[in-house]
Amino acid sequence: MTVADPHSSKSEASDLAAQIVPELEEGDAEPKFRAIACADGVRRGIRLETIYWDGLASLVAGSRHSLSDIVERASVQVGEGSNLASMLRVLAFRWMWRRYSDLQAAYSADTLNTLVHACPSPVIVLTRDKKIQLFNEAFVTLLKQRLALGNVLQLSTGFRFVLETQVEEALEILASKGKMITTGFTASCGGRQLSGQINLAMVPTHRKPMVIGYIVRH
């Protein structure tokens, strides 16, 4: 097992591009007409693609506002004689963009790094291609005690960390069931070996699939 290169590979960039430009679902681009009765007593007829109606529905879900409130606010902003449908598209996109930005911050590498280092027990983060992405001080301390690891540089020269359940398989299980799984692990370096159990969970991230492992027995 090797330590992950901090720079994204070409394959990772390709995977990210595929996520950025997803395939449209059937009906997303189909225009739909709706007549919305607003609080000002005006009934406004609007034609929008289905995806924008879905976005506006998400915008008002769980809030104290209704779709008619959003339409009325948009009509005030756009003014008379202007394109109300275009303003609603902008509002829907702006809301989705803010949500996306918030999720990016919550699922960022910095946030993950903070969570890993805040854990008092040994933690390791592995990518789909079995590379070590992150680990905390407790993990290093364990290796120093049990494997006589001299320094962190040895993690990239001769150190191996192997799961009984392959990372690819673990990611598939976690993606389908959404639960933690427990499996065995073996760490080795310099002719010494350490075995135990580790709890695996999927890392919430917008970049690439990874698992976070909490060592529970060694």
Side-chain angles (χ1 to χ4, degrees):
M1 180 149 319
T2 57
V3 179
D5 187 340
H7 300 289
S8 298
S9 65
K10 291 183 179 180
S11 61
E12 290 171 352
S14 177
D15 291 341
L16 183 59
Q19 295 174 21
I20 293 174
V21 189
E23 293 184 7
L24 290 177
E25 295 184 8
E26 185 177 357
D28 279 350
E30 180 183 351
K32 287 188 177 181
F33 178 86
R34 294 181 65 176
I36 307 296
C38 299
D40 59 5
V42 178
R43 192 174 183 86
R44 294 178 171 86
I46 305 164
R47 185 181 296 277
L48 291 174
E49 292 78 8
T50 300
I51 191 68
Y52 287 109
W53 286 121
D54 291 344
L56 291 170
S58 295
L59 191 156
V60 300
S63 73
R64 293 178 295 177
H65 300 287
S66 64
L67 182 58
S68 62
D69 294 331
I70 301 300
V71 171
E72 185 174 355
R73 178 183 175 187
S75 67
V76 171
Q77 288 183 294
V78 77
E80 294 295 331
S82 297
N83 195 326
L84 178 58
S86 291
M87 177 58 71
L88 288 170
R89 290 186 183 94
V90 170
L91 285 175
F93 182 83
R94 169 54 64 189
W95 180 78
M96 290 295 183
W97 178 256
R98 286 175 179 168
R99 289 278 293 173
Y100 173 71
S101 297
D102 290 343
L103 289 173
Q104 273 196 316
Y107 296 158
S108 68
D110 288 341
T111 300
L112 175 60
N113 185 61
T114 299
L115 293 174
V116 167
H117 285 87
C119 184
S121 60
V123 175
I124 185 171
V125 176
L126 303 170
T127 63
R128 183 187 293 274
D129 53 356
K130 306 176 185 178
K131 291 181 179 179
I132 300 173
Q133 188 74 22
L134 286 170
F135 49 85
N136 63 359
E137 188 61 34
F139 181 78
V140 175
T141 299
L142 173 64
L143 298 183
K144 286 182 177 180
Q145 293 173 345
R146 301 293 296 274
L147 298 181
L149 187 73
N151 54 61
V152 177
L153 292 177
Q154 286 186 261
L155 287 177
S156 59
T157 55
F159 175 75
R160 296 192 66 213
F161 191 88
V162 180
L163 298 176
E164 288 183 6
T165 303
Q166 293 294 321
V167 177
E168 184 82 23
E169 181 184 353
L171 283 168
E172 291 178 1
I173 295 172
L174 292 169
S176 62
K177 298 182 178 179
K179 296 182 179 180
M180 176 192 74
I181 60 175
T182 300
T183 188
F185 76 89
T186 300
S188 59
C189 185
R192 296 194 179 188
Q193 184 170 295
L194 167 66
S195 298
Q197 285 190 321
I198 187 169
N199 291 336
L200 299 178
M202 183 172 288
V203 173
T205 177
H206 59 84
R207 293 192 61 190
K208 54 187 176 183
M210 295 184 288
V211 293
I212 184 168
Y214 301 88
I215 294 177
V216 292
R217 186 176 64 81
H218 52 81

